[in-house]
Amino acid sequence: MSTPTSNNTRIDKKPIQIQVNGVMQQRHVEPRTSLVDFLRDELGLTGTHVGCEHGVCGACTVMLNDEPVRSCCMFAVQADDMRVTTVEGLAPERGVMTKIQDAFCEKHALQCGYCTPGMLMACHALVAHTPHPTEDQVRDAISSNICRCTGYQQIVDAVMYATQVEKK
Ligand code: FES
Ligand code: FES
């Protein structure tokens, strides 16, 4: 499978299969397609946001085999035969939120919400390894995610609140 380019050369598409939020997705993609473009444009999972496209802001963070990655900085073909979780796949079912998502609402951890999907992925990645983090660990986990609205304190408060509730 190939697509024409402006100078009439053709780009071969590569077959890939990626398990996204528990569902196996098989597609043919151009090798230059970023993972975030694949998720948003090919699968319609627009919860993953695009900010800087340079690996700086963290808005595009998703889990790749349970580790957080910047999906703007890798190609979809690099995720072949791997598992991806996006913000849409964090909660167990539609209409339900995770404890951290609930806590984001409770503690006003978002304003415009642009950074929120990436922040949520970073926080869930932390809690998966460290169920009851210290405030310093939370700050460290989100230190590569930029938020222009909240000043970060509410995000830290939300994670602390969610993980303290879990302790009880
Ligand atoms: S959009 Fe990927 S890190 Fe900013
Ligand atoms: S809530 Fe607006 S950038 Fe974080």
Side-chain angles (χ1 to χ4, degrees), residues 49-60 70-72:
H49 290 169
V50 185
C52 63
E53 289 188 278
H54 283 89
V56 174
C57 73
C60 65
R70 312 257 140 145
S71 59
C72 71

Side-chain angles (χ1 to χ4, degrees), residues 27-141:
R27 296 286 195 285
H28 286 76
V29 297
E30 292 183 7
R32 64 182 176 178
T33 303
S34 67
L35 180 58
V36 70
D37 285 347
F38 174 75
L39 295 169
R40 289 177 56 87
D41 301 340
E42 186 70 32
L43 303 185
L45 295 171
T46 53
T48 301
H49 290 169
V50 185
C52 63
E53 289 188 278
H54 283 89
V56 174
C57 73
C60 65
T61 305
V62 299
M63 304 282 199
L64 185 70
N65 285 356
D66 303 322
E67 290 300 326
V69 297
R70 312 257 140 145
S71 59
C72 71
C73 287
M74 61 180 293
F75 298 113
V77 292
Q78 292 177 291
D80 189 26
D81 281 330
M82 299 179 97
R83 282 180 291 111
V84 170
T85 305
T86 69
V87 70
E88 291 92 342
L90 282 178
E93 59 186 278
R94 198 175 176 82
V96 175
M97 292 202 287
T98 65
K99 282 194 171 69
I100 292 177
Q101 287 172 317
D102 270 331
F104 265 54
C105 295
E106 185 77 25
K107 296 294 177 185
H108 307 290
L110 63 146
Q111 290 178 31
C112 78
Y114 206 85
C115 70
T116 308
M119 284 288 183
L120 285 170
M121 300 313 291
C123 294
H124 280 84
L126 167 68
V127 170
H129 295 294
T130 310
H132 304 298
T134 63
E135 194 168 318
D136 280 350
Q137 287 173 316
V138 177
R139 290 185 184 282
D140 190 51

